[in-house]
């Protein structure tokens, strides 16, 4: 429930906000932890295991696996940026979060989301080069270039997302300090602002359309090229093998963008038809489901990682 406006003194910038979780479902919030808790645990264990395997196994020190490690690190950061606070709110009830911490969370959630989208685009380009120019792959795609690309993606994410907290920080008055959400989402905080928020709304919409739209266009173009090359291969076995090298990445892309697109469309166009608790549930699923599923998808679909994990598990089991 959003607080009703009080005397003018209460409109001053609060020292903290109060996160309410998923308003409207009452005591059922505690049961939702049975969904998000295991998701976060899977994200921690799965992405941590992927990072450890890529770090330890020198045979995996290749561009493709370095990109996978960047994705795993991004997923870890994204899940951790919201899950601890989310679980605390759902289990213990409304929780205060300092004003500055709220802005930091807003920045990291949106920056890591943009970073993940950029990494998925880079991985699609990597697969396009591997399938389209296999003889030149080792020359075109090197570990150094992957490092530069990862750094460029991080710089881009910071540059395009930093206006979010800065635009909010310019406002000194708020209608209330209670945020009807489970984390400090940009638009959830902007709804409490007293003043002209048109710049916030337009920048948020433009950024969502530009970043996701361009990345999806790039991914679609990459897989269009891959399909064109693969369909020209002479045998069914060769085509199946070529598509198999991309299957895990396609699953990850679908997990991220389908859940994100569904959350975005219901938020933008279903405000009056989709209940607010559903909006909030979808936004949290969008941020926690991909980090939880990505390591499972790659662990199952990528032979080198699967073999290394099985070897590690077997050796650990034999010691006991």
């Amino acid at each position: 429930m959003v607080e009703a406006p009080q005397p003018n003194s209460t409109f001053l910038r609060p020292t903290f906000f109060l996160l309410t979780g998923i308003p409207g479902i009452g005591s059922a919030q505690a049961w939702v932890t049975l969904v998000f808790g295991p998701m976060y645990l899977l994200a921690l264990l799965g992405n941590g295991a992927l990072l450890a395997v890529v770090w330890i196994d020198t045979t995996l020190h290749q561009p493709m696996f370095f990109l996978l490690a960047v994705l795993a690190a991004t997923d870890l950061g994204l899940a951790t940026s919201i899950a601890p606070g989310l679980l605390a709110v759902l289990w213990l009830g409304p929780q205060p979060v300092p004003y500055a911490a709220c802005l930091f969370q807003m920045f990291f959630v949106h920056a890591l989301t943009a970073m993940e989208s950029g990494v998925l685009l880079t991985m699609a380009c990597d697969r396009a080069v591997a399938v389209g120019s296999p003889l030149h792959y080792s020359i075109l795609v090197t570990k150094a270039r992957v490092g530069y690309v990862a750094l460029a993606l991080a710089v881009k994410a910071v540059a395009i997302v930093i206006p979010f907290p800065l635009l909010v920080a310019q406002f000194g008055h708020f209608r209330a300090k209670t945020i009807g959400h489970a984390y400090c989402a940009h638009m959830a905080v902007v709804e409490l602002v007293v003043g002209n928020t048109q710049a916030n709304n337009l920048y948020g919409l433009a950024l969502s359309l530009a970043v996701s739209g361009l990345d999806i266009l790039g991914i679609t173009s990459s897989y269009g090229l891959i399909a064109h090359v693969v369909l020209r291969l002479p045998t069914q076995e060769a085509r199946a093998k070529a598509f198999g090298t991309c299957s895990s990445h396609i699953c990850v892309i679908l997990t991220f963008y389908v859940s994100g697109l569904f959350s975005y469309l219901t938020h933008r166009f279903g405000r009056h038809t989709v209940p607010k608790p559903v909006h909030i549930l979808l936004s949290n699923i969008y941020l926690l489901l991909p980090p939880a599923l990505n390591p499972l998808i790659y662990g199952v679909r990528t032979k080198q990682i699967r073999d290394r994990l099985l070897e590690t598990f077997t050796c650990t089991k034999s010691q006991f």
Side-chain angles (χ1 to χ4, degrees):
M1 180 183 295
V2 177
E3 295 177 352
Q6 301 295 325
N8 288 342
S9 60
T10 63
F11 281 66
L12 294 175
R13 178 186 298 166
T15 57
F16 67 91
F17 288 110
L18 195 66
L19 293 173
T20 58
I22 307 174
I25 65 173
S27 59
Q29 283 198 141
W31 293 100
V32 180
T33 58
L34 298 179
V35 176
F36 292 124
M39 278 188 186
Y40 183 47
L41 184 61
L42 277 175
L44 288 179
L45 296 178
N47 290 292
L50 276 178
L51 286 171
V53 166
V54 174
W55 177 272
I56 294 171
D57 191 344
T58 56
T59 63
L60 299 181
H61 290 183
Q62 304 170 30
M64 182 182 74
F65 296 107
F66 280 154
L67 283 173
L68 180 56
V70 174
L71 179 66
T74 304
D75 280 337
L76 269 179
L78 184 59
T80 302
S81 67
I82 69 161
L86 167 66
L87 295 175
V89 171
L90 294 178
W91 188 255
L92 303 175
Q95 297 292 307
V97 55
Y99 175 81
C102 189
L103 296 186
F104 274 112
Q105 184 184 49
M106 180 192 304
F107 167 77
F108 280 111
V109 167
H110 293 289
L112 289 169
T113 302
M115 179 75 179
E116 176 136 351
S117 183
V119 173
L120 292 178
L121 171 60
T122 305
M123 294 176 77
C125 295
D126 171 77
R127 292 299 84 203
V129 175
V131 174
S133 302
L135 299 179
H136 300 93
Y137 177 79
S138 60
I139 299 173
L140 296 173
V141 183
T142 64
K143 290 184 285 186
R145 287 178 178 173
V146 168
Y148 292 140
V149 169
L151 179 60
L153 290 175
V155 171
K156 184 198 78 170
V158 170
I160 63 177
V161 172
I162 196 66
F164 278 156
L166 293 180
L167 286 171
V168 172
Q170 70 176 332
F171 295 102
H173 295 79
F174 291 77
R175 294 185 178 87
K177 65 180 180 181
T178 300
I179 300 176
H181 211 293
Y183 64 92
C184 293
H186 174 245
M187 292 311 300
V189 177
V190 169
E191 288 176 356
L192 305 181
V193 167
V194 175
N196 186 355
T197 61
Q198 185 176 9
N200 302 70
N201 296 329
L202 290 177
Y203 187 76
L205 178 60
L207 187 62
S208 297
L209 293 176
V211 173
S212 298
L214 290 175
D215 288 349
I216 291 174
L217 180 62
I219 290 171
T220 303
S221 300
S222 297
Y223 275 95
L225 176 62
I226 290 173
H228 176 72
V229 173
V230 169
L231 292 176
R232 295 172 60 188
L233 294 176
T235 65
Q236 180 67 28
E237 182 181 355
R239 290 193 290 270
K241 183 177 180 181
F243 273 126
T245 63
C246 304
S247 59
S248 56
H249 187 228
I250 293 173
C251 292
V252 169
I253 289 172
L254 292 176
T255 300
F256 181 74
Y257 285 110
V258 170
S259 60
L261 184 62
F262 191 60
S263 175
Y264 175 80
L265 290 176
T266 55
H267 177 74
R268 288 288 176 182
F269 305 107
R271 286 177 175 269
H272 304 295
T273 56
V274 180
K276 188 171 183 179
V278 176
H279 287 303
I280 299 174
L281 279 171
L282 288 175
S283 66
N284 284 283
I285 289 173
Y286 164 54
L287 295 177
L288 285 176
L289 185 63
L293 292 184
N294 289 353
L296 294 179
I297 293 170
Y298 278 111
V300 171
R301 300 292 302 175
T302 307
K303 184 179 185 302
Q304 296 95 319
I305 293 176
R306 183 174 67 248
D307 291 346
R308 180 60 177 172
L309 287 173
L310 288 175
E311 179 185 340
T312 301
F313 178 77
T314 303
C315 291
T316 303
K317 186 177 180 180
S318 64
Q319 291 177 355
F320 294 95

